[in-house]
Amino acid sequence: DAGVTQSPTHLIKTRGQHVTLRCSPISGHKSVSWYQQVLGQGPQFIFQYYEKEERGRGNFPDRFSARQFPNYSSELNVNALLLGDSALYLCASSLGGTGSYNEQFFGPGTRLTVL
Amino acid sequence: TQLLEQSPQFLSIQEGENLTVYCNSSSVFSSLQWYRQEPGEGPVLLVTVVTGGEVKKLKRLTFQFGDARKDSSLHITAAQPGDTGLYLCAGGRAGSYQLTFGKGTKLSVIP
């Protein structure tokens, strides 16, 4: 069975540009979450989507946005890139229904470098 | 603000030794997950604990959730080089959909 897939694996951008990262969840999972992990830190929550609706948002500026498609895949968009946006961006999928213990299964991540 | 504190931050031990890493918080969590992450890869879920006092064993790994559901520990028996990696704990709360992660414990097991 395929796990969570993310694309691209690596990306290099310059300050001010925008970027779109993509994620496909595990088959049968309806929820996708996005996390940012900078070097030496644990992942920080950015967004969670469930059934195409935003269900949670972390403490990130409006330059960060996301959406979920009918097939439950998701995109994370970041505008006006800053040097500090350089990080590993992780996508996690989960069943997402009520009563779940929020077990999340992570993809390999997209390594974004902003120059 | 990191609500989950992990200790130690770094641990380097010889193959065959035992070790324990800790995850502590002043807040109550409804669930706590442990993940292991290798460089350049995403975290891999090891276990989920949900009941205060719960103990789960996964081969040489033993996980415990504190009675008050504010802390957890991971004990590894007879560590092997393949155990090397970053161990992350993450807490979930009822009614919230995000996981709160600690900074992790970076473990190196030397052959």
Side-chain angles (χ1 to χ4, degrees), chain A residues 25 38-39 42 46 49 52 63 65 67 88 101-102 114:
Chain A
V38 299
L39 202 61
I46 310 175
Y49 277 77
K52 298 177 290 180
R63 300 185 295 109
S65 63
R67 55 180 176 167
L88 181 67
Y101 292 111
N102 215 0
V114 182

Side-chain angles (χ1 to χ4, degrees), chain B:
Chain B
T1 305
Q2 287 285 354
L3 298 180
L4 280 169
E5 299 288 337
Q6 290 192 242
S7 61
Q9 279 189 275
F10 302 95
L11 191 55
S12 182
I13 63 170
Q14 295 288 329
E15 181 177 0
E17 292 184 346
N18 301 331
L19 66 114
T20 302
V21 298
Y22 299 93
C23 175
N24 295 296
S25 174
S26 57
S27 303
V28 175
F29 290 98
S30 59
S31 68
L32 199 133
Q33 283 95 44
W34 283 92
Y35 293 83
R36 178 169 160 267
Q37 184 178 26
E38 298 197 31
E41 298 182 8
V44 175
L45 179 65
L46 298 174
V47 79
T48 299
V49 286
V50 300
T51 304
E54 182 176 4
V55 177
K56 279 192 174 179
K57 292 190 175 184
L58 185 66
K59 297 184 180 178
R60 295 177 293 102
L61 277 60
T62 301
F63 304 85
Q64 185 164 8
F65 202 11
D67 291 340
R69 291 185 292 145
K70 292 182 178 181
D71 55 86
S72 181
S73 64
L74 158 60
H75 181 80
I76 301 179
T77 304
Q80 299 177 359
D83 295 327
T84 293
L86 179 69
Y87 288 83
L88 293 159
C89 66
R93 290 195 178 88
S96 172
Y97 302 106
Q98 70 181 72
L99 287 178
T100 300
F101 279 84
K103 289 187 178 182
T105 293
K106 190 170 183 180
L107 172 66
S108 296
V109 181
I110 303 164

Side-chain angles (χ1 to χ4, degrees), chain A residues 51-113:
Chain A
E51 294 278 16
K52 298 177 290 180
E53 297 289 326
E54 182 183 301
R55 203 161 68 167
R57 183 184 182 113
N59 188 24
F60 280 80
D62 291 344
R63 300 185 295 109
F64 289 76
S65 63
R67 55 180 176 167
Q68 187 177 32
F69 299 100
N71 66 353
Y72 304 113
S73 67
S74 178
E75 285 182 352
L76 174 69
N77 295 283
V78 187
N79 293 325
L81 285 167
L82 303 174
L83 295 179
D85 295 331
S86 296
L88 181 67
Y89 287 85
L90 295 163
C91 172
S93 83
S94 60
L95 290 169
T98 57
S100 69
Y101 292 111
N102 215 0
E103 287 186 331
Q104 299 188 12
F105 299 87
F106 285 83
T110 292
R111 170 68 65 187
L112 173 64
T113 302

